[in-house]
Amino acid sequence: MERRSFLKKAGVGLAAGAGVATSARAAELPSIKWRLASAFPKSLDTIYAAAEIVSKRVAEATGGKFQIQVFGAGELVPTAGVLDAVKDGTVEMGHSTSYYFVGKDPTFALDCAIPFGLNSRQQTAWTYEGGGIDLLREFFKDYNIYNMPCGNTGAQMGGWFRKEIKTVKDLEGLKFRVGGLAGQVLAKLGVVPQQIPGGDIYPALEKGTIDAAEFVGPYDDQKLGLNKVAKYYYYPGWWEGGPQVSAYVNIKQWASLPKEYQAILEDACSHAHVVMQARYDVKNPIALKQLVGSGTQLRPFPNEVMAACYKAAHDLYDEIAAKNPKFKKIYDHWKKFRDDQLQWFAVAENRFDNFMQATRAATAKK
Amino acid sequence: MERRSFLKKAGVGLAAGAGVATSARAAELPSIKWRLASAFPKSLDTIYAAAEIVSKRVAEATGGKFQIQVFGAGELVPTAGVLDAVKDGTVEMGHSTSYYFVGKDPTFALDCAIPFGLNSRQQTAWTYEGGGIDLLREFFKDYNIYNMPCGNTGAQMGGWFRKEIKTVKDLEGLKFRVGGLAGQVLAKLGVVPQQIPGGDIYPALEKGTIDAAEFVGPYDDQKLGLNKVAKYYYYPGWWEGGPQVSAYVNIKQWASLPKEYQAILEDACSHAHVVMQARYDVKNPIALKQLVGSGTQLRPFPNEVMAACYKAAHDLYDEIAAKNPKFKKIYDHWKKFRDDQLQWFAVAENRFDNFMQATRAATAKK
């Protein structure tokens, strides 16, 4: 083998005591085939791909012995069934944004995003190193799930509007395709939240059955062609400042894995976590330029509207916390973390970003 | 074995065709011991830890068969010798910020950070998914190195100043501890860059041998006690908007690894990449609050100063590109990427961040 012969020749590069030897121990590692139910259709290729990355990396790291087959939404179970499928052991793994399950418990959203929450990097910091993962795993244990961060989209867009939003009054009676906690927040301000599958947004917006719709960001929204049926593209999606995607593993299946496979799977999820965010960051700027080039009008939500939504969101959290101790426990921890993060990011990070953006804009105008 | 017996019982949860079997193939995987030379002293615990994370994860993923022993700066080779040690095969791996090696070739800085470059997330996006890694690996090949991203500090601080910087004129004759390309940029504006090891900054600043010094960010700077010898803490470190740390592997050693170990090592680096940034994001806010509480005065660099430095930086890049084709090739690609990123981040990301920070600041005042 080339490898062996090289290692012999390269002995000078090896540490004292280093050596190459075969080991019988690894022969014990089992061949395993798992199924992973994604909450996303294959058409959402960037989110969907995170699960495929995990599958590919785990297979490579184990010489093909640990296989994870990925199924798109609806192939084994529908999006809404992913959590239960992992909980009940119908599949060994799932891949989903946890805020899909706020109907079961709003606490799920803290694993992903709540309105006016953390940005992508802050959500990662909280989860990995800020104590978040321990709190979340304690919560997920009740659902027989071992959860791992596995992707983020970054701050999403606020969606497509047929008419401009200039004041809070413009929200009254607005039929807006938006779900979860964001829908509950906006309902406090008169919005009538609409639940419509991604594929049905285009005709609903075209016919005027709805007035506005949010989906993801430029790259995914462009694929749905929403720019053809609504002129105004609002930002930011303040309800999704950095939504985290999670890998779910049935907790007994997790415990059954050799330690080696646990480490391999966990690192593969970290790798997918990095790559998914990076891929969106590469794809979104290109799509945004194309959308603006095709006539899309970018609009920031007015401060007045954002401020009213901010207040409504925090009223909602207080209401939920008052009756849901699981939510309260994690939310209190998370909220203090958010406060610290905002103070720090306002200094070096934000000043750097703002200067760079202002300078680019000034240069582009010349 | 508990694992096996569980899998038998849990058969219902396994996919059709799933099964557990031992494999003889894995018995071929070798036991390997490598040495990794870190460019960082152990006292810089957060950066240093990234290499330890890689070591730990690789060992776990291989059942202890692939061991990477981590050595701090100076234990095997000094910081400045890490690149050559990997190049020459003295050690199998290194861990360093590549801008330490701009003296060999300024192109190295593009693997890490150049003044007015990318922020942490953008640098990750460019490297992993924006085409950066291919360009960088082509460059590193001439140094017998296979490079992988392995950490980021996030935007650093601009450093500690004994006197305020109000205009560009205040830079004239300023003895500032700052290195690499930042030193070259600032020299164009009259600064006299000083090269001083981290441990010598405190006495130099205390005695007034130097007027100012930059190091890393609140967490690391606090450990040096720089707040006791300089009052003004400037931001941002526009020369380090998102400095990436890299793992270096001797390219022949890399090629000698079984595919499984390559995948395991690469994912371990991705995991460390996430954890290191997360750890800084958790630690910096706490340290910053303590510094401000102890009397440190935060100061943003004035726009006029930033703008003059921006111009000087880009003049420098044009000068380097004119005579260094390797730099030009990567810089041109990188610069276009930066432009796209700035346009996109100015929309959803930045509007979200700015609103959150402004709201927090307003709430804190009440």
Side-chain angles (χ1 to χ4, degrees), chain A residues 3 13-15 19 21 31 35 57 89 92 121 129 155 256 267 270-271 279 281 289 301 340-341 349-351 354 357, chain B residues 3 13-15 19 21 31 35 57 89 92 121 129 155 256 267 270-271 279 281 289 301 340-341 349-351 354 357:
Chain A
R3 174 171 53 78
L14 293 172
S31 290
R35 297 190 303 173
R57 302 300 291 191
E92 291 81 7
R121 204 172 112 188
E129 289 287 317
S256 80
D267 284 3
S270 288
H271 183 72
R279 204 168 280 180
D281 286 342
K289 276 202 277 191
F301 283 119
D340 286 348
Q341 290 294 299
E349 293 290 345
N350 202 233
R351 170 91 179 129
N354 282 339
Q357 287 160 12
Chain B
R3 174 171 54 78
L14 293 173
S31 290
R35 298 189 302 175
R57 301 300 292 191
E92 291 80 8
R121 204 171 112 187
E129 289 288 314
S256 79
D267 285 3
S270 288
H271 182 72
R279 204 168 279 180
D281 286 343
K289 276 202 278 193
F301 284 119
D340 287 348
Q341 290 294 298
E349 293 291 347
N350 202 233
R351 170 91 178 129
N354 282 339
Q357 286 160 13

Short mmCIF file of all heavy atoms in Angstrom, two decimals, chain A residues 3 13-15 19 21 31 35 57 89 92 121 129 155 256 267 270-271 279 281 289 301 340-341 349-351 354 357, chain B residues 3 13-15 19 21 31 35 57 89 92 121 129 155 256 267 270-271 279 281 289 301 340-341 349-351 354 357:
data_model
loop_
_atom_site.label_atom_id
_atom_site.label_comp_id
_atom_site.label_asym_id
_atom_site.label_seq_id
_atom_site.Cartn_x
_atom_site.Cartn_y
_atom_site.Cartn_z
N ARG A 3 0.25 4.10 1.18
CA ARG A 3 0.24 4.78 2.46
C ARG A 3 1.31 4.23 3.39
O ARG A 3 2.09 4.95 3.98
CB ARG A 3 -1.14 4.64 3.10
CG ARG A 3 -1.23 5.17 4.51
CD ARG A 3 -2.68 5.18 4.97
NE ARG A 3 -3.31 3.89 4.81
CZ ARG A 3 -3.12 2.86 5.64
NH1 ARG A 3 -2.31 2.96 6.66
NH2 ARG A 3 -3.75 1.73 5.43
N GLY A 13 9.36 12.25 10.15
CA GLY A 13 8.29 13.20 10.50
C GLY A 13 7.43 12.72 11.63
O GLY A 13 6.58 13.46 12.11
N LEU A 14 7.62 11.53 12.08
CA LEU A 14 6.75 11.01 13.14
C LEU A 14 7.34 11.32 14.51
O LEU A 14 8.55 11.33 14.69
CB LEU A 14 6.56 9.51 12.98
CG LEU A 14 5.78 9.09 11.73
CD1 LEU A 14 5.82 7.58 11.57
CD2 LEU A 14 4.34 9.57 11.81
N ALA A 15 6.47 11.52 15.44
CA ALA A 15 6.90 11.81 16.81
C ALA A 15 7.59 10.58 17.39
O ALA A 15 7.36 9.46 16.95
CB ALA A 15 5.70 12.18 17.65
N GLY A 19 3.90 5.35 15.60
CA GLY A 19 4.03 4.15 14.80
C GLY A 19 2.73 3.82 14.14
O GLY A 19 1.71 4.46 14.41
N ALA A 21 0.18 0.68 13.35
CA ALA A 21 -0.11 -0.72 13.64
C ALA A 21 -1.59 -0.96 13.39
O ALA A 21 -2.40 -0.05 13.53
CB ALA A 21 0.23 -1.03 15.09
N SER A 31 -21.87 -2.54 11.45
CA SER A 31 -22.50 -1.92 10.28
C SER A 31 -23.93 -1.56 10.64
O SER A 31 -24.66 -2.38 11.19
CB SER A 31 -22.51 -2.89 9.10
OG SER A 31 -21.20 -3.07 8.62
N ARG A 35 -32.41 5.53 8.97
CA ARG A 35 -33.20 6.38 8.09
C ARG A 35 -33.37 7.75 8.75
O ARG A 35 -33.62 7.84 9.96
CB ARG A 35 -34.58 5.76 7.83
CG ARG A 35 -34.49 4.42 7.10
CD ARG A 35 -35.84 3.93 6.65
NE ARG A 35 -36.78 3.81 7.76
CZ ARG A 35 -38.08 3.53 7.61
NH1 ARG A 35 -38.58 3.36 6.39
NH2 ARG A 35 -38.87 3.42 8.66
N ARG A 57 -20.77 12.47 5.22
CA ARG A 57 -19.57 12.53 6.06
C ARG A 57 -19.49 11.33 7.00
O ARG A 57 -18.41 10.81 7.26
CB ARG A 57 -19.55 13.83 6.89
CG ARG A 57 -19.60 15.11 6.06
CD ARG A 57 -18.45 15.25 5.11
NE ARG A 57 -17.19 15.48 5.82
CZ ARG A 57 -16.06 15.84 5.23
NH1 ARG A 57 -16.01 16.03 3.93
NH2 ARG A 57 -14.96 16.01 5.94
N GLY A 89 -39.46 6.24 17.32
CA GLY A 89 -38.53 5.27 16.76
C GLY A 89 -38.92 4.75 15.37
O GLY A 89 -38.37 3.76 14.91
N GLU A 92 -34.74 6.59 12.84
CA GLU A 92 -33.70 6.81 13.84
C GLU A 92 -33.36 8.29 13.96
O GLU A 92 -32.96 8.76 15.03
CB GLU A 92 -32.42 6.04 13.47
CG GLU A 92 -32.55 4.53 13.57
CD GLU A 92 -33.24 3.92 12.35
OE1 GLU A 92 -33.49 4.65 11.38
OE2 GLU A 92 -33.54 2.72 12.39
N ARG A 121 -24.91 33.66 14.46
CA ARG A 121 -23.71 33.37 15.24
C ARG A 121 -24.02 33.33 16.74
O ARG A 121 -23.45 32.53 17.49
CB ARG A 121 -22.67 34.46 14.95
CG ARG A 121 -21.28 34.00 15.21
CD ARG A 121 -20.29 35.03 14.71
NE ARG A 121 -19.60 35.65 15.81
CZ ARG A 121 -18.79 36.70 15.67
NH1 ARG A 121 -18.62 37.25 14.47
NH2 ARG A 121 -18.17 37.20 16.71
N GLU A 129 -21.85 26.81 23.41
CA GLU A 129 -20.95 27.18 24.50
C GLU A 129 -21.60 28.02 25.60
O GLU A 129 -20.97 28.32 26.61
CB GLU A 129 -19.75 27.96 23.94
CG GLU A 129 -18.80 27.08 23.13
CD GLU A 129 -17.97 26.14 24.00
OE1 GLU A 129 -17.47 26.57 25.05
OE2 GLU A 129 -17.84 24.96 23.63
N ALA A 155 -30.26 35.41 8.99
CA ALA A 155 -31.46 36.26 9.07
C ALA A 155 -32.27 36.11 7.79
O ALA A 155 -31.74 36.26 6.69
CB ALA A 155 -31.08 37.71 9.30
N SER A 256 -27.32 3.59 21.77
CA SER A 256 -26.88 2.29 21.24
C SER A 256 -25.62 2.41 20.39
O SER A 256 -24.99 1.40 20.07
CB SER A 256 -27.99 1.66 20.40
OG SER A 256 -28.02 2.23 19.10
N ASP A 267 -19.71 15.41 15.00
CA ASP A 267 -18.84 16.29 14.21
C ASP A 267 -19.36 16.48 12.80
O ASP A 267 -19.19 17.55 12.21
CB ASP A 267 -17.40 15.74 14.18
CG ASP A 267 -16.68 15.98 15.49
OD1 ASP A 267 -17.29 16.52 16.43
OD2 ASP A 267 -15.49 15.62 15.59
N SER A 270 -21.78 19.19 13.08
CA SER A 270 -21.09 20.49 13.17
C SER A 270 -20.61 20.93 11.79
O SER A 270 -20.70 22.10 11.42
CB SER A 270 -19.89 20.41 14.11
OG SER A 270 -20.32 20.31 15.45
N HIS A 271 -20.09 19.98 11.02
CA HIS A 271 -19.63 20.32 9.67
C HIS A 271 -20.81 20.81 8.82
O HIS A 271 -20.71 21.85 8.15
CB HIS A 271 -18.98 19.09 9.03
CG HIS A 271 -18.42 19.36 7.67
ND1 HIS A 271 -17.28 20.10 7.47
CD2 HIS A 271 -18.85 19.01 6.43
CE1 HIS A 271 -17.04 20.19 6.16
NE2 HIS A 271 -17.98 19.54 5.51
N ARG A 279 -23.33 28.15 2.68
CA ARG A 279 -23.95 28.00 1.36
C ARG A 279 -25.04 29.06 1.16
O ARG A 279 -25.14 29.65 0.09
CB ARG A 279 -24.52 26.58 1.25
CG ARG A 279 -24.67 26.10 -0.17
CD ARG A 279 -24.94 24.61 -0.23
NE ARG A 279 -23.74 23.81 -0.07
CZ ARG A 279 -23.72 22.47 -0.09
NH1 ARG A 279 -24.85 21.79 -0.26
NH2 ARG A 279 -22.59 21.81 0.04
N ASP A 281 -25.07 31.93 2.61
CA ASP A 281 -24.37 33.22 2.50
C ASP A 281 -23.79 33.41 1.10
O ASP A 281 -23.66 34.55 0.64
CB ASP A 281 -23.27 33.31 3.56
CG ASP A 281 -23.84 33.55 4.96
OD1 ASP A 281 -25.02 33.96 5.06
OD2 ASP A 281 -23.12 33.32 5.94
N LYS A 289 -29.48 40.15 -5.89
CA LYS A 289 -29.16 41.05 -7.00
C LYS A 289 -30.07 40.79 -8.20
O LYS A 289 -30.52 41.72 -8.86
CB LYS A 289 -27.68 40.88 -7.41
CG LYS A 289 -26.74 41.70 -6.56
CD LYS A 289 -25.41 41.97 -7.25
CE LYS A 289 -24.45 40.82 -7.08
NZ LYS A 289 -23.08 41.16 -7.51
N PHE A 301 -38.81 47.18 7.12
CA PHE A 301 -39.97 47.45 7.97
C PHE A 301 -39.72 48.75 8.73
O PHE A 301 -38.62 48.95 9.27
CB PHE A 301 -40.18 46.31 8.98
CG PHE A 301 -40.80 45.07 8.40
CD1 PHE A 301 -40.13 43.86 8.42
CD2 PHE A 301 -42.07 45.11 7.84
CE1 PHE A 301 -40.70 42.71 7.89
CE2 PHE A 301 -42.65 43.96 7.30
CZ PHE A 301 -41.96 42.76 7.32
N ASP A 340 -26.39 40.14 26.88
CA ASP A 340 -24.92 40.23 26.86
C ASP A 340 -24.40 40.27 25.42
O ASP A 340 -23.47 41.02 25.10
CB ASP A 340 -24.31 39.02 27.58
CG ASP A 340 -24.46 39.12 29.10
OD1 ASP A 340 -24.83 40.21 29.58
OD2 ASP A 340 -24.23 38.11 29.78
N GLN A 341 -24.98 39.43 24.58
CA GLN A 341 -24.52 39.37 23.19
C GLN A 341 -24.72 40.71 22.49
O GLN A 341 -23.86 41.17 21.75
CB GLN A 341 -25.29 38.28 22.42
CG GLN A 341 -24.93 36.88 22.84
CD GLN A 341 -23.49 36.52 22.50
OE1 GLN A 341 -23.10 36.51 21.34
NE2 GLN A 341 -22.69 36.26 23.51
N GLU A 349 -18.03 44.15 16.40
CA GLU A 349 -18.67 43.51 15.23
C GLU A 349 -19.49 44.51 14.42
O GLU A 349 -19.36 44.61 13.21
CB GLU A 349 -19.61 42.38 15.69
CG GLU A 349 -18.91 41.19 16.31
CD GLU A 349 -18.09 40.36 15.32
OE1 GLU A 349 -18.27 40.52 14.10
OE2 GLU A 349 -17.25 39.58 15.79
N ASN A 350 -20.38 45.20 15.11
CA ASN A 350 -21.32 46.03 14.38
C ASN A 350 -20.67 47.27 13.79
O ASN A 350 -21.00 47.69 12.68
CB ASN A 350 -22.47 46.42 15.32
CG ASN A 350 -23.70 46.81 14.54
OD1 ASN A 350 -24.26 47.88 14.74
ND2 ASN A 350 -24.12 45.98 13.59
N ARG A 351 -19.73 47.83 14.54
CA ARG A 351 -19.04 49.00 14.00
C ARG A 351 -18.24 48.61 12.75
O ARG A 351 -18.19 49.35 11.78
CB ARG A 351 -18.13 49.59 15.07
CG ARG A 351 -17.16 50.66 14.60
CD ARG A 351 -17.73 52.08 14.71
NE ARG A 351 -16.76 53.07 14.26
CZ ARG A 351 -17.00 54.03 13.38
NH1 ARG A 351 -18.20 54.18 12.86
NH2 ARG A 351 -16.05 54.87 13.02
N ASN A 354 -20.88 47.93 9.89
CA ASN A 354 -21.51 49.17 9.41
C ASN A 354 -20.54 50.01 8.59
O ASN A 354 -20.93 50.59 7.56
CB ASN A 354 -22.05 49.99 10.59
CG ASN A 354 -23.37 49.43 11.10
OD1 ASN A 354 -24.07 48.70 10.40
ND2 ASN A 354 -23.69 49.74 12.35
N GLN A 357 -20.08 48.33 5.16
CA GLN A 357 -21.25 48.47 4.29
C GLN A 357 -21.41 49.91 3.79
O GLN A 357 -21.71 50.14 2.61
CB GLN A 357 -22.51 48.02 5.03
CG GLN A 357 -22.57 46.50 5.17
CD GLN A 357 -23.49 46.03 6.26
OE1 GLN A 357 -24.29 46.82 6.79
NE2 GLN A 357 -23.41 44.77 6.61
N ARG B 3 -25.29 -2.54 24.09
CA ARG B 3 -25.66 -1.97 22.80
C ARG B 3 -26.36 -2.99 21.91
O ARG B 3 -27.41 -2.76 21.36
CB ARG B 3 -24.41 -1.41 22.11
CG ARG B 3 -24.65 -0.93 20.70
CD ARG B 3 -23.41 -0.20 20.20
NE ARG B 3 -22.21 -1.02 20.32
CZ ARG B 3 -21.90 -2.00 19.49
NH1 ARG B 3 -22.70 -2.33 18.51
NH2 ARG B 3 -20.78 -2.67 19.64
N GLY B 13 -37.57 -0.12 15.48
CA GLY B 13 -37.14 1.22 15.10
C GLY B 13 -36.16 1.22 13.93
O GLY B 13 -35.82 2.26 13.42
N LEU B 14 -35.71 0.08 13.49
CA LEU B 14 -34.72 0.05 12.42
C LEU B 14 -35.40 0.01 11.06
O LEU B 14 -36.47 -0.58 10.90
CB LEU B 14 -33.81 -1.17 12.58
CG LEU B 14 -32.90 -1.15 13.82
CD1 LEU B 14 -32.19 -2.47 13.97
CD2 LEU B 14 -31.90 -0.01 13.72
N ALA B 15 -34.76 0.62 10.10
CA ALA B 15 -35.32 0.65 8.76
C ALA B 15 -35.32 -0.76 8.18
O ALA B 15 -34.57 -1.63 8.61
CB ALA B 15 -34.46 1.56 7.89
N GLY B 19 -29.44 -3.45 9.76
CA GLY B 19 -28.93 -4.56 10.53
C GLY B 19 -27.62 -4.19 11.18
O GLY B 19 -27.06 -3.15 10.91
N ALA B 21 -23.85 -5.65 11.95
CA ALA B 21 -22.90 -6.71 11.65
C ALA B 21 -21.50 -6.20 11.88
O ALA B 21 -21.23 -5.01 11.74
CB ALA B 21 -23.05 -7.16 10.20
N SER B 31 -3.10 2.46 13.77
CA SER B 31 -2.86 3.34 14.92
C SER B 31 -1.80 4.36 14.52
O SER B 31 -0.75 3.98 14.00
CB SER B 31 -2.39 2.54 16.13
OG SER B 31 -3.45 1.76 16.62
N ARG B 35 2.05 14.76 15.95
CA ARG B 35 2.31 15.92 16.80
C ARG B 35 1.79 17.16 16.11
O ARG B 35 1.98 17.33 14.90
CB ARG B 35 3.81 16.06 17.07
CG ARG B 35 4.39 14.87 17.83
CD ARG B 35 5.81 15.14 18.27
NE ARG B 35 6.68 15.46 17.15
CZ ARG B 35 7.94 15.84 17.29
NH1 ARG B 35 8.48 15.95 18.50
NH2 ARG B 35 8.68 16.11 16.23
N ARG B 57 -11.52 15.11 19.61
CA ARG B 57 -12.58 14.55 18.76
C ARG B 57 -12.05 13.44 17.86
O ARG B 57 -12.73 12.45 17.62
CB ARG B 57 -13.22 15.66 17.91
CG ARG B 57 -13.83 16.80 18.71
CD ARG B 57 -14.93 16.39 19.63
NE ARG B 57 -16.11 15.95 18.93
CZ ARG B 57 -17.30 15.73 19.50
NH1 ARG B 57 -17.44 15.90 20.81
NH2 ARG B 57 -18.33 15.32 18.80
N GLY B 89 7.89 18.62 7.54
CA GLY B 89 7.55 17.32 8.13
C GLY B 89 8.15 17.11 9.51
O GLY B 89 8.16 15.99 10.02
N GLU B 92 3.59 16.70 12.06
CA GLU B 92 2.59 16.37 11.05
C GLU B 92 1.57 17.49 10.89
O GLU B 92 1.00 17.68 9.81
CB GLU B 92 1.84 15.08 11.44
CG GLU B 92 2.69 13.83 11.37
CD GLU B 92 3.57 13.65 12.59
OE1 GLU B 92 3.42 14.44 13.57
OE2 GLU B 92 4.43 12.75 12.58
N ARG B 121 -18.33 35.32 9.76
CA ARG B 121 -19.23 34.46 8.98
C ARG B 121 -18.92 34.53 7.50
O ARG B 121 -19.02 33.54 6.78
CB ARG B 121 -20.67 34.90 9.25
CG ARG B 121 -21.66 33.79 9.01
CD ARG B 121 -23.03 34.23 9.50
NE ARG B 121 -23.93 34.40 8.39
CZ ARG B 121 -25.16 34.91 8.49
NH1 ARG B 121 -25.59 35.35 9.67
NH2 ARG B 121 -25.94 35.01 7.45
N GLU B 129 -17.54 27.63 1.02
CA GLU B 129 -18.49 27.47 -0.08
C GLU B 129 -18.34 28.50 -1.20
O GLU B 129 -19.01 28.42 -2.21
CB GLU B 129 -19.93 27.56 0.48
CG GLU B 129 -20.33 26.37 1.31
CD GLU B 129 -20.58 25.11 0.46
OE1 GLU B 129 -21.25 25.23 -0.57
OE2 GLU B 129 -20.10 24.03 0.84
N ALA B 155 -14.60 39.66 15.14
CA ALA B 155 -13.96 40.98 15.02
C ALA B 155 -13.20 41.29 16.30
O ALA B 155 -13.74 41.20 17.40
CB ALA B 155 -15.01 42.05 14.75
N SER B 256 -1.31 10.19 3.25
CA SER B 256 -1.05 8.86 3.80
C SER B 256 -2.21 8.37 4.67
O SER B 256 -2.27 7.19 5.02
CB SER B 256 0.23 8.89 4.64
OG SER B 256 -0.04 9.45 5.92
N ASP B 267 -13.83 16.90 9.74
CA ASP B 267 -15.02 17.25 10.51
C ASP B 267 -14.66 17.71 11.92
O ASP B 267 -15.34 18.57 12.49
CB ASP B 267 -15.99 16.07 10.57
CG ASP B 267 -16.74 15.89 9.25
OD1 ASP B 267 -16.46 16.64 8.30
OD2 ASP B 267 -17.60 14.99 9.17
N SER B 270 -13.91 21.25 11.56
CA SER B 270 -15.14 22.04 11.44
C SER B 270 -15.79 22.23 12.81
O SER B 270 -16.30 23.30 13.13
CB SER B 270 -16.14 21.35 10.50
OG SER B 270 -15.71 21.43 9.16
N HIS B 271 -15.78 21.16 13.59
CA HIS B 271 -16.35 21.26 14.94
C HIS B 271 -15.58 22.29 15.77
O HIS B 271 -16.18 23.17 16.41
CB HIS B 271 -16.32 19.89 15.62
CG HIS B 271 -16.94 19.88 16.98
ND1 HIS B 271 -18.30 19.98 17.18
CD2 HIS B 271 -16.39 19.82 18.22
CE1 HIS B 271 -18.55 19.97 18.48
NE2 HIS B 271 -17.42 19.88 19.13
N ARG B 279 -17.07 30.09 21.69
CA ARG B 279 -16.46 30.30 23.01
C ARG B 279 -16.03 31.76 23.18
O ARG B 279 -16.24 32.35 24.25
CB ARG B 279 -15.26 29.34 23.17
CG ARG B 279 -14.91 29.04 24.58
CD ARG B 279 -13.92 27.88 24.68
NE ARG B 279 -14.57 26.58 24.58
CZ ARG B 279 -13.93 25.41 24.62
NH1 ARG B 279 -12.61 25.39 24.79
NH2 ARG B 279 -14.59 24.28 24.53
N ASP B 281 -17.42 34.24 21.64
CA ASP B 281 -18.66 35.02 21.73
C ASP B 281 -19.27 34.95 23.12
O ASP B 281 -19.96 35.87 23.55
CB ASP B 281 -19.66 34.53 20.67
CG ASP B 281 -19.27 34.97 19.26
OD1 ASP B 281 -18.45 35.90 19.14
OD2 ASP B 281 -19.79 34.39 18.28
N LYS B 289 -17.70 43.80 29.88
CA LYS B 289 -18.44 44.45 30.97
C LYS B 289 -17.53 44.72 32.17
O LYS B 289 -17.60 45.77 32.80
CB LYS B 289 -19.64 43.59 31.39
CG LYS B 289 -20.86 43.82 30.51
CD LYS B 289 -22.15 43.42 31.19
CE LYS B 289 -22.38 41.94 31.10
NZ LYS B 289 -23.78 41.57 31.47
N PHE B 301 -13.00 54.15 16.60
CA PHE B 301 -12.11 54.93 15.73
C PHE B 301 -12.98 55.91 14.94
O PHE B 301 -14.02 55.52 14.41
CB PHE B 301 -11.36 54.01 14.76
CG PHE B 301 -10.22 53.26 15.37
CD1 PHE B 301 -10.21 51.87 15.38
CD2 PHE B 301 -9.14 53.93 15.93
CE1 PHE B 301 -9.15 51.16 15.93
CE2 PHE B 301 -8.07 53.23 16.50
CZ PHE B 301 -8.09 51.84 16.49
N ASP B 340 -20.17 41.35 -2.87
CA ASP B 340 -21.48 40.70 -2.84
C ASP B 340 -21.97 40.52 -1.40
O ASP B 340 -23.15 40.72 -1.09
CB ASP B 340 -21.41 39.33 -3.52
CG ASP B 340 -21.31 39.45 -5.04
OD1 ASP B 340 -21.52 40.55 -5.57
OD2 ASP B 340 -21.00 38.43 -5.69
N GLN B 341 -21.06 40.10 -0.53
CA GLN B 341 -21.43 39.87 0.86
C GLN B 341 -21.93 41.15 1.53
O GLN B 341 -22.91 41.15 2.26
CB GLN B 341 -20.24 39.32 1.66
CG GLN B 341 -19.84 37.91 1.30
CD GLN B 341 -20.91 36.89 1.65
OE1 GLN B 341 -21.26 36.73 2.81
NE2 GLN B 341 -21.47 36.23 0.65
N GLU B 349 -29.48 40.98 7.58
CA GLU B 349 -28.62 40.78 8.75
C GLU B 349 -28.40 42.06 9.54
O GLU B 349 -28.59 42.13 10.75
CB GLU B 349 -27.24 40.24 8.32
CG GLU B 349 -27.23 38.85 7.74
CD GLU B 349 -27.56 37.75 8.76
OE1 GLU B 349 -27.54 38.02 9.98
OE2 GLU B 349 -27.85 36.63 8.32
N ASN B 350 -27.97 43.08 8.82
CA ASN B 350 -27.57 44.29 9.51
C ASN B 350 -28.75 45.07 10.08
O ASN B 350 -28.68 45.63 11.16
CB ASN B 350 -26.76 45.17 8.55
CG ASN B 350 -25.89 46.15 9.31
OD1 ASN B 350 -25.95 47.33 9.07
ND2 ASN B 350 -25.12 45.66 10.26
N ARG B 351 -29.85 45.07 9.33
CA ARG B 351 -31.03 45.76 9.84
C ARG B 351 -31.54 45.06 11.10
O ARG B 351 -31.97 45.71 12.05
CB ARG B 351 -32.11 45.78 8.75
CG ARG B 351 -33.47 46.26 9.19
CD ARG B 351 -33.68 47.75 9.04
NE ARG B 351 -35.03 48.15 9.45
CZ ARG B 351 -35.32 49.12 10.30
NH1 ARG B 351 -34.36 49.86 10.81
NH2 ARG B 351 -36.55 49.39 10.64
N ASN B 354 -28.92 45.87 13.96
CA ASN B 354 -28.99 47.26 14.40
C ASN B 354 -30.25 47.54 15.21
O ASN B 354 -30.21 48.25 16.21
CB ASN B 354 -28.91 48.21 13.20
CG ASN B 354 -27.49 48.36 12.68
OD1 ASN B 354 -26.52 48.11 13.39
ND2 ASN B 354 -27.35 48.76 11.43
N GLN B 357 -29.85 45.94 18.68
CA GLN B 357 -28.91 46.67 19.54
C GLN B 357 -29.49 48.01 20.00
O GLN B 357 -29.35 48.39 21.16
CB GLN B 357 -27.59 46.87 18.78
CG GLN B 357 -26.79 45.58 18.70
CD GLN B 357 -25.76 45.62 17.59
OE1 GLN B 357 -25.48 46.67 17.03
NE2 GLN B 357 -25.20 44.47 17.28
#
